[in-house]
Amino acid sequence: MRTEVLRRFSAGGPRGSWPAEEYAARLRAQGRAARVVMDLETDAFLVVSGDADHSG
């Protein structure tokens, strides 16, 4: 399965703000597969669907 980046969020958001997690939760509530991963190279949180396993 292919991984698709649905949206990017800056990791530098205000303390206590979780916009990537909130966006992913809204997608899951609509029945879409979505999870949040960290892109260390760009210092961003990515909301992705599909196979986001990077262990290998």
Side-chain angles (χ1 to χ4, degrees):
M1 180 181 257
R2 196 180 119 222
T3 300
E4 178 183 3
V5 176
L6 303 173
R7 192 159 172 194
R8 297 175 183 272
F9 293 86
S10 171
R15 179 172 281 174
S17 173
W18 301 94
E21 292 289 350
E22 293 165 359
Y23 181 72
R26 283 195 304 271
L27 292 177
R28 288 190 297 269
Q30 296 171 3
R32 296 185 64 187
R35 65 183 181 148
V36 177
V37 297
M38 179 69 183
D39 181 355
L40 295 175
E41 291 181 18
T42 63
D43 194 31
F45 291 108
L46 309 178
V47 177
V48 300
S49 68
D51 181 14
D53 182 15
H54 297 291
S55 62

